[in-house]
Amino acid sequence: MNIVQELATWAKKVPQWQSDAVRRIFTQADLSTDDHDELLRMLLAAHGIREDDQPILVPTPFSDVISDAVGEPKRILLKEIHSVSGVNALVPEQSITFALDGLTIIYGENGAGKSGYARVFKHACHAREKSEPIRNNVAAKKKEKIQATIELSVNDDAVAIQWSAGTPTSDLLAEIAVFDSHCARVFLDDANEVVYLPYGMDVFGRLAALCKSLKARIQEKRAAIPAAFASIEQFRVGTTAQAFVKSLSDKSDIAHLEKMVSLSATEKARLETLKPLVATARSNQPKQRAAELRRKKQRIEQVRTKLAAIVAGLAESVVTHLRALVVAAATASEAARIASVEAFKTDPLPGTGKDPWRLLFDAAKAFSEQAAYPDEEFPVVRDGALCLWCQQPLSAAASNRLNRFQQFVIDDVATKKASADSALAVAKKKVDDLNVQPFVADETVLEELRAYKDCLATAAEACVKTAKERKDALLKALTDHLWEDVPALPPSIEADLKTAVDSLEAEAAELTAADNPEALKKLQDELVELEDRELLGKQEKEVRAYIASKKREAALLQCEKECDTTSITKFGSKLMEKTVTDQLIAALKRETTFFGVKCVPLDIAKKGREGETKHQLVIASGIPPSGVLSEGEQRVVAIAAFLAELDTAGRNLPIIFDDPVSSLDHLFRERVAKRLVQEAKSKRQVVVFTHDIVMLLALERECGEQSASLLVHTVRRSSQGPGECPHPPSRPWHASSTTERIGFLKQASAGFKKLSQTPEPYRIAVAGVYGKLREAWERAIEEWLLNDAVQRFRPSIETQRLSRVTVDAADCAAIEKGMSRCSTHLTGHDSSGAISSPSPTPENIAEDIQQLETFVKTIDKRRKAAGVAVAALTEPPKPTLGSGRASTVIELAQSSPPANT
């Protein structure tokens, strides 16, 4: 069973912030304060809580790092890494190949660049620690894309994966496990018990601890929220506002709040009415106050009636009617004029038929009907009748003229003119008689109105002023017909006065009724209800804020529930039951026994607590657990557990170790070297990154003794920078054989003929070569003369090798001569200026190197003559290397920019 895939499947079912937390816990040794803060922000945001306007963080689920997909088992081998760019200050165009059927060692001293390549594998493959970002060269002006191409053999097919920083882990690369110091799964718990957790299982304990920490922070936030609304005591018991405020919660209806605080105009007016009404009712004088209000009502009613009469008398319809009467009178007059001209044009006196004449005629008619001939119909023209004006007997012609005058007067045109003139005169008199200054006779009426409501008095004064101006202009227009000069009708305030009258009557009626205690109680309740609603409106902002805080509290409670560790513990325990099988326990016992760890046997005593189930390692009786495992022992047990889990997984996939023996003594180092070579020879491809020369030599010896394939790369710092990987692959100088060193010296001195033209650089280069040549002589004594019976960095002296050792005087002479030559020219030996010798020529140097090579050949020939097959005892088999690069490159998508400094 694959624990990590089980963990990935489970992580898909938990909240996204928890999945992000699992990712961080799995890929980081420790969670920082920033991690805790960011996860808390994600948890709060998941429930709608955002604080301090911080940017929204999108969780990165565990599935972005590890997939739970279980495909067909593949045979995966690591072939090469190349095209590395943007990684620290590594020099470009470098390549590291890997042995397909054994052990590959990548050696590099501190600062040589080895860690840069190791970090690429940690981020690209399946590694526990990915929190430390890969950075660009801090000294470079232009930042490069962090990337590398990793060549694989997948079921014997060549596959190239172009990896770049921030991309999801490739399913193929995820099959390659990287072990480093963060893979340790053995530790001392709070009770000083040594605890073992399989790889990945410590996620549950750390996740539970994280949840517990976040829960405490959430509880602090909840505690800061007040339990009740601060101003609740200001509201009166029994009002709807008090009931609403008392019941405030995260479910309070904002729409209901808005409705309560929005007093209508009627409600506001009612509130203003009730305040003095209730105050008066409480003073035990309601009837007296009612009488006062009714008297005021009558006075205002008088104002309303007078202003209504003024507005009616000067209404636009009145103006329209007057203008029509003026037009009608003018028309009738013109018609009468025309008619009179035609009727009297033959009469001797001018002006006959006109208005002066008409007055004369009407007077004569009245005289006839009232005095001269009261019993006869006018005009009297019988024989003997006298003229009403000259009182002479009427002639026939005079009688005819009088009849004709009478006919003209009674004719329709004249009648219409008289009627139009009369109607116009009546309308004009009505306007003229209109009283537009009603307050002159009684100014107290206006003052009472002002005392009641100043705006009404002001409006009444404006109405009167405008009315007078309109009346005067209207009367003037009857003569000059300049109707456009008539000002507009004054605005009517009748409705406002009517409202005031009705309000006073209603208030008086309520005061009359308020003399009854029950009625007064209703008025008081109504006033308190409106006042509390008004108060609620003034505190609406605070109420909304409190409702928001209760919603926040409810959301925090949900966050707190999500921090419950029950389900984490339950799944962790269930997975532990499935994981820690008899097979795994047996494998772990085998590994710890092999490494010589004293804390075995392993008991299966299970201990469960928040988020984790532990399996205790039983210690020898009487030894306190806290004194059992040193730092080095913990690392060894971690390697043992790592190998045990690989063994039970049943898949022989590649593994990469990054400095596996840090903190180990020589005994543990030897055992680790032996165990890793066993794994490389029998089960899987093993790659070891190390800066430990002793570990390198130990691995080399084990490969030789176990006949395991070995490939050694030396990463070094060159003049271009760190990370140079020479080809063909070679061991570091200190781990190189005499033959390898001779080859290096020949290569180093190949360009000396040209360099000799520049004396000082040549002298320095010569001193360096002779220093290396002296070291090569010392290595030849150890390796060839003494047959590696005594070897530096090896803890044992192999006495059996002495049987093949023979030393004669010629050997001693050759060594003495070679070492002397080196001492003469290397740096560090001061010579007298008088006897200082010139630098050796390139030919001299070649001869001195040849002396060492001749010495080795002489010893080798003597050994062979003695039948000693040294090579078979010391040299490991040659490794198998992958051939060719893949034609198809899988490019991983970029998800985040590279980290820079």
Side-chain angles (χ1 to χ4, degrees), residues 346-564:
T346 59
D347 291 318
L349 294 176
T352 302
K354 298 197 175 186
D355 288 344
W357 174 87
R358 178 63 182 268
L359 292 174
L360 179 64
F361 182 81
D362 288 343
K365 180 182 179 184
F367 172 66
S368 174
E369 292 175 344
Q370 297 175 17
Y373 303 107
D375 297 327
E376 297 182 60
E377 183 179 358
F378 178 81
V380 179
V381 292
R382 60 178 169 76
D383 289 341
L386 299 177
C387 175
L388 296 172
W389 290 277
C390 68
Q391 298 187 7
Q392 296 292 324
L394 291 171
S395 64
S399 296
N400 289 335
R401 184 177 288 112
L402 188 59
N403 282 331
R404 184 161 49 82
F405 284 173
Q406 172 63 8
Q407 185 61 40
F408 173 77
V409 171
I410 66 174
D411 191 69
D412 184 56
V413 174
T415 302
K416 287 181 179 179
K417 178 181 181 303
S419 177
D421 289 343
S422 175
L424 178 59
V426 170
K428 178 181 178 182
K429 186 175 184 304
K430 189 175 182 181
V431 172
D432 195 36
D433 292 342
L434 183 65
N435 183 10
V436 293
Q437 291 183 308
F439 306 128
V440 174
D442 188 1
E443 294 182 355
T444 59
V445 175
L446 192 61
E447 294 305 316
E448 288 177 3
L449 181 61
R450 192 181 307 282
Y452 174 71
K453 192 169 287 188
D454 182 68
C455 62
L456 285 178
T458 301
E461 287 180 310
C463 181
V464 168
K465 182 176 180 294
T466 306
K468 185 178 184 308
E469 293 172 354
R470 182 176 174 86
K471 175 185 173 181
D472 294 343
L474 190 57
L475 291 174
K476 186 173 181 292
L478 290 172
T479 303
D480 59 17
H481 307 299
L482 298 176
W483 300 99
E484 62 275 9
D485 292 343
V486 177
L489 187 70
S492 176
I493 61 171
E494 183 179 2
D496 294 334
L497 291 171
K498 179 68 167 58
T499 299
V501 167
D502 293 344
S503 176
L504 286 169
E505 177 57 36
E507 187 177 353
E510 286 184 323
L511 279 170
T512 302
D515 200 38
N516 183 316
E518 291 183 2
L520 177 58
K521 175 68 166 59
K522 289 182 179 179
L523 291 175
Q524 289 174 329
D525 290 346
E526 184 181 1
L527 175 61
V528 169
E529 177 69 20
L530 289 173
E531 285 179 335
D532 270 18
R533 284 181 59 193
E534 183 182 48
L535 175 62
L536 186 62
K538 293 177 181 178
Q539 297 190 7
E540 180 183 2
K541 183 177 179 181
E542 290 76 9
V543 172
R544 285 177 178 269
Y546 183 74
I547 292 173
S549 72
K550 300 307 286 184
K551 290 182 181 296
R552 173 184 169 86
E553 183 180 37
L556 287 173
L557 183 59
Q558 293 302 313
C559 293
E560 190 176 326
K561 289 180 179 178
E562 272 194 17
C563 290
D564 183 74

Side-chain angles (χ1 to χ4, degrees), residues 52 66 106 108 136 178 187 215 223 241 245 300 327 360 397 410 432 475 555 627 688 710 761 889:
D52 303 327
I66 298 296
I106 294 92
N136 276 157
V178 180
F187 53 91
K215 183 176 182 180
V245 171
I300 295 176
V327 172
L360 179 64
I410 66 174
D432 195 36
L475 291 174
V688 176
L710 174 65
V889 178

